[in-house]
mmCIF file of all heavy atoms in Angstrom:
data_model
loop_
_atom_site.group_PDB
_atom_site.id
_atom_site.type_symbol
_atom_site.label_atom_id
_atom_site.label_comp_id
_atom_site.label_asym_id
_atom_site.label_seq_id
_atom_site.Cartn_x
_atom_site.Cartn_y
_atom_site.Cartn_z
ATOM 1 N N TYR B 134 -6.280 27.334 -186.235
ATOM 2 C CA TYR B 134 -5.069 28.220 -186.324
ATOM 3 C C TYR B 134 -4.060 27.951 -185.212
ATOM 4 O O TYR B 134 -2.854 28.149 -185.387
ATOM 5 C CB TYR B 134 -5.567 29.639 -186.265
ATOM 6 C CG TYR B 134 -6.144 30.060 -187.577
ATOM 7 C CD1 TYR B 134 -7.488 30.315 -187.678
ATOM 8 C CD2 TYR B 134 -5.386 30.192 -188.690
ATOM 9 C CE1 TYR B 134 -8.072 30.679 -188.837
ATOM 10 C CE2 TYR B 134 -5.969 30.520 -189.887
ATOM 11 C CZ TYR B 134 -7.283 30.804 -189.966
ATOM 12 O OH TYR B 134 -7.860 31.130 -191.149
ATOM 13 N N GLY B 135 -4.526 27.599 -183.977
ATOM 14 C CA GLY B 135 -3.632 27.293 -182.922
ATOM 15 C C GLY B 135 -2.670 26.264 -183.344
ATOM 16 O O GLY B 135 -1.459 26.375 -183.108
ATOM 17 N N THR B 136 -3.142 25.154 -183.880
ATOM 18 C CA THR B 136 -2.304 24.039 -184.260
ATOM 19 C C THR B 136 -1.424 24.417 -185.471
ATOM 20 O O THR B 136 -0.222 24.112 -185.459
ATOM 21 C CB THR B 136 -3.234 22.885 -184.726
ATOM 22 O OG1 THR B 136 -4.363 22.866 -183.967
ATOM 23 C CG2 THR B 136 -2.477 21.526 -184.640
ATOM 24 N N ILE B 137 -2.009 25.086 -186.413
ATOM 25 C CA ILE B 137 -1.198 25.445 -187.629
ATOM 26 C C ILE B 137 -0.046 26.370 -187.238
ATOM 27 O O ILE B 137 1.077 26.142 -187.665
ATOM 28 C CB ILE B 137 -2.106 26.043 -188.746
ATOM 29 C CG1 ILE B 137 -3.167 25.051 -189.197
ATOM 30 C CG2 ILE B 137 -1.339 26.559 -189.837
ATOM 31 C CD1 ILE B 137 -4.233 25.688 -189.955
ATOM 32 N N LEU B 138 -0.412 27.412 -186.459
ATOM 33 C CA LEU B 138 0.574 28.440 -186.172
ATOM 34 C C LEU B 138 1.724 27.840 -185.301
ATOM 35 O O LEU B 138 2.911 28.238 -185.410
ATOM 36 C CB LEU B 138 -0.001 29.640 -185.519
ATOM 37 C CG LEU B 138 -0.791 30.556 -186.421
ATOM 38 C CD1 LEU B 138 -1.328 31.703 -185.620
ATOM 39 C CD2 LEU B 138 0.127 31.055 -187.518
ATOM 40 N N SER B 139 1.315 26.994 -184.349
ATOM 41 C CA SER B 139 2.324 26.421 -183.458
ATOM 42 C C SER B 139 3.419 25.776 -184.274
ATOM 43 O O SER B 139 4.655 25.920 -183.971
ATOM 44 C CB SER B 139 1.744 25.493 -182.506
ATOM 45 O OG SER B 139 1.097 24.424 -183.189
ATOM 46 N N GLY B 140 3.036 24.950 -185.268
ATOM 47 C CA GLY B 140 4.083 24.218 -186.001
ATOM 48 C C GLY B 140 4.885 25.151 -186.838
ATOM 49 O O GLY B 140 6.096 24.978 -186.920
ATOM 50 N N TRP B 141 4.203 26.170 -187.497
ATOM 51 C CA TRP B 141 4.940 26.992 -188.339
ATOM 52 C C TRP B 141 5.898 27.958 -187.546
ATOM 53 O O TRP B 141 7.073 28.161 -187.952
ATOM 54 C CB TRP B 141 3.932 27.933 -189.157
ATOM 55 C CG TRP B 141 4.687 28.887 -190.008
ATOM 56 C CD1 TRP B 141 5.221 28.622 -191.202
ATOM 57 C CD2 TRP B 141 4.860 30.252 -189.756
ATOM 58 N NE1 TRP B 141 5.715 29.850 -191.714
ATOM 59 C CE2 TRP B 141 5.553 30.782 -190.728
ATOM 60 C CE3 TRP B 141 4.529 31.053 -188.677
ATOM 61 C CZ2 TRP B 141 5.943 32.108 -190.741
ATOM 62 C CZ3 TRP B 141 4.820 32.409 -188.649
ATOM 63 C CH2 TRP B 141 5.509 32.900 -189.776
ATOM 64 N N ALA B 142 5.457 28.407 -186.396
ATOM 65 C CA ALA B 142 6.237 29.367 -185.619
ATOM 66 C C ALA B 142 7.462 28.730 -184.905
ATOM 67 O O ALA B 142 8.336 29.418 -184.479
ATOM 68 C CB ALA B 142 5.338 30.120 -184.616
ATOM 69 N N SER B 143 7.418 27.339 -184.817
ATOM 70 C CA SER B 143 8.457 26.740 -184.094
ATOM 71 C C SER B 143 9.820 26.579 -184.807
ATOM 72 O O SER B 143 10.823 26.353 -184.212
ATOM 73 C CB SER B 143 8.010 25.303 -183.652
ATOM 74 O OG SER B 143 6.886 25.397 -182.855
ATOM 75 N N ASN B 144 9.769 26.841 -186.174
ATOM 76 C CA ASN B 144 10.979 26.746 -186.879
ATOM 77 C C ASN B 144 11.595 25.295 -186.740
ATOM 78 O O ASN B 144 12.753 25.100 -186.513
ATOM 79 C CB ASN B 144 12.050 27.754 -186.531
ATOM 80 C CG ASN B 144 13.164 27.849 -187.410
ATOM 81 O OD1 ASN B 144 13.013 27.532 -188.640
ATOM 82 N ND2 ASN B 144 14.332 28.169 -186.967
ATOM 83 N N ASN B 145 10.762 24.344 -186.947
ATOM 84 C CA ASN B 145 11.170 22.933 -186.839
ATOM 85 C C ASN B 145 10.408 22.120 -187.847
ATOM 86 O O ASN B 145 9.202 22.259 -187.927
ATOM 87 C CB ASN B 145 10.894 22.460 -185.382
ATOM 88 C CG ASN B 145 11.262 20.999 -185.174
ATOM 89 O OD1 ASN B 145 10.927 20.164 -185.983
ATOM 90 N ND2 ASN B 145 11.909 20.787 -184.132
ATOM 91 N N ASN B 146 11.105 21.305 -188.668
ATOM 92 C CA ASN B 146 10.454 20.658 -189.707
ATOM 93 C C ASN B 146 9.462 19.571 -189.221
ATOM 94 O O ASN B 146 8.381 19.401 -189.856
ATOM 95 C CB ASN B 146 11.478 19.950 -190.621
ATOM 96 C CG ASN B 146 12.152 20.974 -191.577
ATOM 97 O OD1 ASN B 146 11.612 22.038 -191.722
ATOM 98 N ND2 ASN B 146 13.313 20.649 -191.989
ATOM 99 N N TRP B 147 9.776 18.868 -188.113
ATOM 100 C CA TRP B 147 8.758 17.859 -187.569
ATOM 101 C C TRP B 147 7.483 18.647 -187.195
ATOM 102 O O TRP B 147 6.409 18.185 -187.588
ATOM 103 C CB TRP B 147 9.341 17.205 -186.359
ATOM 104 C CG TRP B 147 10.583 16.437 -186.627
ATOM 105 C CD1 TRP B 147 11.802 16.696 -186.041
ATOM 106 C CD2 TRP B 147 10.765 15.288 -187.445
ATOM 107 N NE1 TRP B 147 12.715 15.706 -186.479
ATOM 108 C CE2 TRP B 147 12.089 14.889 -187.335
ATOM 109 C CE3 TRP B 147 9.874 14.559 -188.209
ATOM 110 C CZ2 TRP B 147 12.634 13.829 -188.033
ATOM 111 C CZ3 TRP B 147 10.304 13.448 -188.939
ATOM 112 C CH2 TRP B 147 11.712 13.105 -188.814
ATOM 113 N N ALA B 148 7.705 19.790 -186.545
ATOM 114 C CA ALA B 148 6.469 20.522 -186.092
ATOM 115 C C ALA B 148 5.688 21.006 -187.300
ATOM 116 O O ALA B 148 4.471 20.989 -187.300
ATOM 117 C CB ALA B 148 6.929 21.662 -185.233
ATOM 118 N N LEU B 149 6.471 21.479 -188.315
ATOM 119 C CA LEU B 149 5.781 21.956 -189.538
ATOM 120 C C LEU B 149 4.947 20.853 -190.228
ATOM 121 O O LEU B 149 3.813 21.039 -190.538
ATOM 122 C CB LEU B 149 6.821 22.559 -190.523
ATOM 123 C CG LEU B 149 6.182 23.211 -191.702
ATOM 124 C CD1 LEU B 149 5.427 24.459 -191.293
ATOM 125 C CD2 LEU B 149 7.263 23.536 -192.745
ATOM 126 N N LEU B 150 5.606 19.654 -190.276
ATOM 127 C CA LEU B 150 4.844 18.534 -190.905
ATOM 128 C C LEU B 150 3.569 18.257 -190.071
ATOM 129 O O LEU B 150 2.489 17.958 -190.658
ATOM 130 C CB LEU B 150 5.757 17.281 -190.920
ATOM 131 C CG LEU B 150 6.669 17.181 -192.136
ATOM 132 C CD1 LEU B 150 7.600 16.041 -191.972
ATOM 133 C CD2 LEU B 150 5.809 16.967 -193.362
ATOM 134 N N GLY B 151 3.755 18.280 -188.776
ATOM 135 C CA GLY B 151 2.613 18.009 -187.880
ATOM 136 C C GLY B 151 1.522 19.001 -188.152
ATOM 137 O O GLY B 151 0.283 18.622 -188.291
ATOM 138 N N SER B 152 1.836 20.365 -188.307
ATOM 139 C CA SER B 152 0.727 21.292 -188.488
ATOM 140 C C SER B 152 0.185 21.241 -189.896
ATOM 141 O O SER B 152 -1.041 21.501 -190.017
ATOM 142 C CB SER B 152 1.123 22.683 -188.056
ATOM 143 O OG SER B 152 2.324 23.037 -188.732
ATOM 144 N N LEU B 153 0.973 20.848 -190.874
ATOM 145 C CA LEU B 153 0.396 20.587 -192.219
ATOM 146 C C LEU B 153 -0.636 19.478 -192.171
ATOM 147 O O LEU B 153 -1.732 19.602 -192.706
ATOM 148 C CB LEU B 153 1.480 20.281 -193.163
ATOM 149 C CG LEU B 153 2.305 21.394 -193.735
ATOM 150 C CD1 LEU B 153 3.425 20.907 -194.625
ATOM 151 C CD2 LEU B 153 1.443 22.375 -194.526
ATOM 152 N N ARG B 154 -0.229 18.368 -191.494
ATOM 153 C CA ARG B 154 -1.256 17.327 -191.398
ATOM 154 C C ARG B 154 -2.460 17.778 -190.658
ATOM 155 O O ARG B 154 -3.550 17.396 -191.064
ATOM 156 C CB ARG B 154 -0.584 16.161 -190.519
ATOM 157 C CG ARG B 154 0.316 15.293 -191.265
ATOM 158 C CD ARG B 154 0.781 14.167 -190.371
ATOM 159 N NE ARG B 154 1.628 13.162 -191.067
ATOM 160 C CZ ARG B 154 1.962 12.023 -190.505
ATOM 161 N NH1 ARG B 154 1.618 11.825 -189.314
ATOM 162 N NH2 ARG B 154 2.638 11.243 -191.174
ATOM 163 N N ALA B 155 -2.285 18.521 -189.573
ATOM 164 C CA ALA B 155 -3.377 19.004 -188.775
ATOM 165 C C ALA B 155 -4.266 19.801 -189.611
ATOM 166 O O ALA B 155 -5.532 19.633 -189.526
ATOM 167 C CB ALA B 155 -2.950 19.756 -187.525
ATOM 168 N N SER B 156 -3.793 20.784 -190.396
ATOM 169 C CA SER B 156 -4.659 21.712 -191.137
ATOM 170 C C SER B 156 -5.423 20.873 -192.207
ATOM 171 O O SER B 156 -6.622 21.045 -192.376
ATOM 172 C CB SER B 156 -3.885 22.792 -191.774
ATOM 173 O OG SER B 156 -2.723 22.382 -192.460
ATOM 174 N N ALA B 157 -4.794 19.953 -192.891
ATOM 175 C CA ALA B 157 -5.503 19.162 -193.926
ATOM 176 C C ALA B 157 -6.577 18.344 -193.264
ATOM 177 O O ALA B 157 -7.735 18.320 -193.672
ATOM 178 C CB ALA B 157 -4.494 18.222 -194.580
ATOM 179 N N GLN B 158 -6.258 17.724 -192.109
ATOM 180 C CA GLN B 158 -7.212 16.811 -191.406
ATOM 181 C C GLN B 158 -8.389 17.666 -190.848
ATOM 182 O O GLN B 158 -9.548 17.242 -191.058
ATOM 183 C CB GLN B 158 -6.522 16.144 -190.225
ATOM 184 C CG GLN B 158 -7.422 15.218 -189.495
ATOM 185 C CD GLN B 158 -6.632 14.502 -188.352
ATOM 186 O OE1 GLN B 158 -5.487 14.150 -188.500
ATOM 187 N NE2 GLN B 158 -7.200 14.277 -187.271
ATOM 188 N N MET B 159 -8.054 18.830 -190.355
ATOM 189 C CA MET B 159 -9.231 19.569 -189.673
ATOM 190 C C MET B 159 -10.136 20.131 -190.771
ATOM 191 O O MET B 159 -11.318 20.196 -190.605
ATOM 192 C CB MET B 159 -8.647 20.691 -188.714
ATOM 193 C CG MET B 159 -8.066 20.017 -187.545
ATOM 194 S SD MET B 159 -7.261 21.287 -186.534
ATOM 195 C CE MET B 159 -8.565 21.694 -185.351
ATOM 196 N N ILE B 160 -9.528 20.665 -191.881
ATOM 197 C CA ILE B 160 -10.417 21.198 -192.934
ATOM 198 C C ILE B 160 -11.279 20.071 -193.494
ATOM 199 O O ILE B 160 -12.497 20.265 -193.728
ATOM 200 C CB ILE B 160 -9.555 21.831 -194.066
ATOM 201 C CG1 ILE B 160 -8.921 23.131 -193.531
ATOM 202 C CG2 ILE B 160 -10.434 22.194 -195.248
ATOM 203 C CD1 ILE B 160 -8.181 23.836 -194.570
ATOM 204 N N SER B 161 -10.629 18.994 -193.718
ATOM 205 C CA SER B 161 -11.402 17.904 -194.369
ATOM 206 C C SER B 161 -12.578 17.427 -193.521
ATOM 207 O O SER B 161 -13.749 17.292 -193.975
ATOM 208 C CB SER B 161 -10.533 16.727 -194.637
ATOM 209 O OG SER B 161 -9.364 17.057 -195.335
ATOM 210 N N TYR B 162 -12.293 17.243 -192.254
ATOM 211 C CA TYR B 162 -13.373 16.707 -191.382
ATOM 212 C C TYR B 162 -14.414 17.764 -190.968
ATOM 213 O O TYR B 162 -15.535 17.381 -190.707
ATOM 214 C CB TYR B 162 -12.765 16.082 -190.125
ATOM 215 C CG TYR B 162 -12.317 14.624 -190.376
ATOM 216 C CD1 TYR B 162 -11.047 14.350 -190.789
ATOM 217 C CD2 TYR B 162 -13.211 13.630 -190.176
ATOM 218 C CE1 TYR B 162 -10.701 13.096 -191.088
ATOM 219 C CE2 TYR B 162 -12.870 12.314 -190.508
ATOM 220 C CZ TYR B 162 -11.611 12.052 -190.939
ATOM 221 O OH TYR B 162 -11.240 10.779 -191.193
ATOM 222 N N GLU B 163 -14.061 19.083 -191.127
ATOM 223 C CA GLU B 163 -15.067 20.122 -190.916
ATOM 224 C C GLU B 163 -16.180 19.983 -191.937
ATOM 225 O O GLU B 163 -17.379 20.084 -191.646
ATOM 226 C CB GLU B 163 -14.420 21.478 -191.055
ATOM 227 C CG GLU B 163 -14.538 22.308 -189.766
ATOM 228 C CD GLU B 163 -13.468 23.392 -189.778
ATOM 229 O OE1 GLU B 163 -13.441 24.147 -190.680
ATOM 230 O OE2 GLU B 163 -12.668 23.398 -188.796
#
Side-chain angles (χ1 to χ4, degrees):
Chain B
Y134 286 111
T136 325
I137 295 170
L138 284 182
S139 62
W141 176 79
S143 297
N144 191 30
N145 179 313
N146 283 341
W147 298 117
L149 185 67
L150 273 175
S152 51
L153 280 177
R154 280 184 175 190
S156 49
Q158 181 176 326
M159 288 174 94
I160 290 184
S161 307
Y162 277 90
E163 240 160 56

